[in-house]
Amino acid sequence: MASSSQKGIVITIPVLVLSVSAAAIFLFFLLSSLSSSPCTCPPSIPDSTFTTTAAVVTGGAVVAEVVDRRISVSRDDIEWVKDQIRANGLHMQDNVLRKGINPRTRAQQLEDLNNFKGISHYEGSEANNHTALPCPGELLVEEHHSNYGEPWAGGRDVFEFLAESSRLTANSHVLEIGCGTLRVGLHFIRYLKPEHFHCLERDELSLMAAFRYELPSQGLLHKRPLIVRGEDMGFAKFGSDVMYDLIYASAVFLHMPDKLVWVGLERLVSRLKPYDGRIFVSHNIKFCSRLGGDECTKRLGSLGLEYLGKHTHDSLLFNHYEIWFEFRRSKA
């Protein structure tokens, strides 16, 4: 009699042990890879900063990345500088002639420049063949840094206050009325995208300083700021399609007739972004307050502007503060 046999799969003990071990190892590596993956949650940002979100391509995928847009220095920055000064044992010494350092006045520098033209210079017909942007001696010794009555460093203070108060990003558009020799404007030009900084300036010497010294010396020619000469609050050359995030006038309206200031505001209000855009005016707003409180408010309202308040901003580097008055466009 033929014996019947059952067909089946026989798993020996060693094979079972190996299978379980392999599964455990795979599970271990899977959990490890998941736990070590970077968190996609945005990092916490201090209250004193503001952020923008940039699209970054990572491994073929577009990932949203929070970019810290802090502009002003932090307390940690200031303490770091103080620590470095202490660690190096630095003390301010008298500004006297010493080897390798020549503390000449600007007048002495200009005299030497005119008499000797520097250590090595081209003579005769060669003199004009090697300088791409010939610059007047008065600008080379930076006399224009003293034209506006305050330390040149004050420009950074103004930039920090205005940029952070307006929550600017590199993509913002900024118009300065009276940018002078770019004491403030240089910082905006460096921060903003090319062609996003505009300025109306009346003084020819200041414009020459901007174009022939400051922009080339700071490596900012590629930013192509639009700087226009004019004194009648005419903004036609800036085009009609630009909407500004910030318009500011630093101590400029003080020297203009009230009537011309109002003409400028009337022309500019339609170029300011509604609600989010800001106008800042420094020192005082006598063009408005001289009308009387109610009349001033009515006139601003007729233009679609709203007064938001007065700000006091301290300087980082010298014992000084500036007063700024803030406005916004209250109608779309």
Side-chain angles (χ1 to χ4, degrees):
M1 184 173 101
S3 61
S4 63
S5 62
Q6 289 184 328
K7 294 183 178 180
I9 298 174
V10 178
I11 300 177
T12 64
I13 296 299
V15 173
L16 181 62
V17 171
L18 287 174
S19 300
V20 172
S21 300
I25 292 172
F26 174 77
L27 183 61
F28 171 77
F29 281 112
L30 178 62
L31 292 176
S32 298
S33 64
L34 291 175
S35 63
S36 62
S37 298
C39 178
T40 57
C41 303
S44 111
I45 303 293
D47 291 340
S48 57
T49 66
F50 55 94
T51 63
T52 57
T53 302
V56 181
V57 178
T58 305
V62 178
V63 179
E65 179 185 31
V66 176
V67 181
D68 187 349
R69 303 298 300 180
R70 185 185 184 100
I71 292 173
S72 63
V73 298
S74 66
R75 291 182 180 179
D76 287 343
D77 295 331
I78 294 172
E79 290 305 316
W80 176 83
V81 171
K82 292 180 178 179
D83 286 343
Q84 298 308 302
I85 293 172
R86 285 192 292 265
N88 285 286
L90 301 181
H91 303 279
M92 197 65 198
Q93 305 293 331
D94 292 337
N95 189 30
V96 296
L97 183 63
R98 52 200 186 274
K99 187 175 182 180
I101 298 177
N102 192 353
R104 295 170 297 162
T105 65
R106 284 184 178 140
Q108 291 170 327
Q109 292 178 50
L110 181 57
E111 183 180 1
D112 289 348
L113 190 66
N114 291 334
N115 291 337
F116 306 109
K117 302 178 184 177
I119 298 174
S120 300
H121 59 277
Y122 294 98
E123 299 284 357
S125 61
E126 290 287 297
N128 298 321
N129 294 336
H130 301 277
T131 304
L133 294 171
C135 193
E138 291 83 354
L139 302 182
L140 289 176
V141 300
E142 300 180 350
E143 284 191 343
H144 60 282
H145 283 190
S146 301
N147 285 359
Y148 292 92
E150 291 180 358
W152 188 255
R156 178 72 196 186
D157 293 318
V158 174
F159 163 70
E160 288 184 2
F161 167 73
L162 293 176
E164 291 198 330
S165 297
S166 305
R167 301 179 68 84
L168 292 190
T169 69
N171 198 45
S172 300
H173 286 84
V174 175
L175 170 66
E176 180 175 4
I177 303 172
C179 57
T181 56
L182 298 181
R183 186 173 69 111
V184 179
L186 283 174
H187 302 285
F188 279 105
I189 293 168
R190 184 177 292 109
Y191 178 74
L192 298 170
K193 287 184 178 180
E195 302 180 9
H196 280 217
F197 177 83
H198 295 177
C199 167
L200 184 69
E201 171 57 48
R202 61 175 293 184
D203 183 63
E204 184 176 9
L205 176 61
S206 297
L207 289 169
M208 287 294 287
F211 285 120
R212 296 186 68 170
Y213 183 85
E214 293 300 334
L215 291 174
S217 70
Q218 297 293 324
L220 293 174
L221 291 174
H222 69 285
K223 285 301 188 84
R224 302 291 194 274
L226 180 54
I227 303 174
V228 175
R229 186 181 183 186
E231 54 184 333
D232 59 355
M233 298 294 270
F235 303 97
K237 292 183 179 179
F238 296 106
S240 58
D241 57 339
V242 177
M243 296 294 288
Y244 293 107
D245 299 271
L246 170 64
I247 299 171
Y248 70 96
S250 180
V252 173
F253 288 173
L254 309 179
H255 310 293
M256 296 172 59
D258 291 357
K259 182 178 180 180
L260 186 57
V261 175
W262 284 107
V263 168
L265 291 175
E266 183 176 1
R267 292 173 177 173
L268 287 173
V269 67
S270 62
R271 296 168 177 256
L272 183 68
K273 287 186 177 179
Y275 310 114
D276 293 330
R278 292 291 185 269
I279 294 178
F280 277 93
V281 178
S282 75
H283 291 67
N284 65 56
I285 49 172
K286 290 184 177 178
F287 67 91
C288 194
S289 58
R290 274 191 283 253
L291 296 175
D294 292 341
E295 185 61 30
C296 179
T297 301
K298 290 178 182 178
R299 189 156 185 180
L300 288 172
S302 68
L303 296 180
L305 288 174
E306 177 186 4
Y307 173 59
L308 296 181
K310 173 182 173 181
H311 305 269
T312 299
H313 176 63
D314 293 330
S315 169
L316 174 66
L317 297 180
F318 60 111
N319 189 18
H320 170 82
Y321 68 90
E322 282 195 346
I323 295 173
W324 288 89
F325 299 86
E326 181 182 5
F327 304 84
R328 74 171 179 177
R329 182 178 169 186
S330 57
K331 300 178 182 177

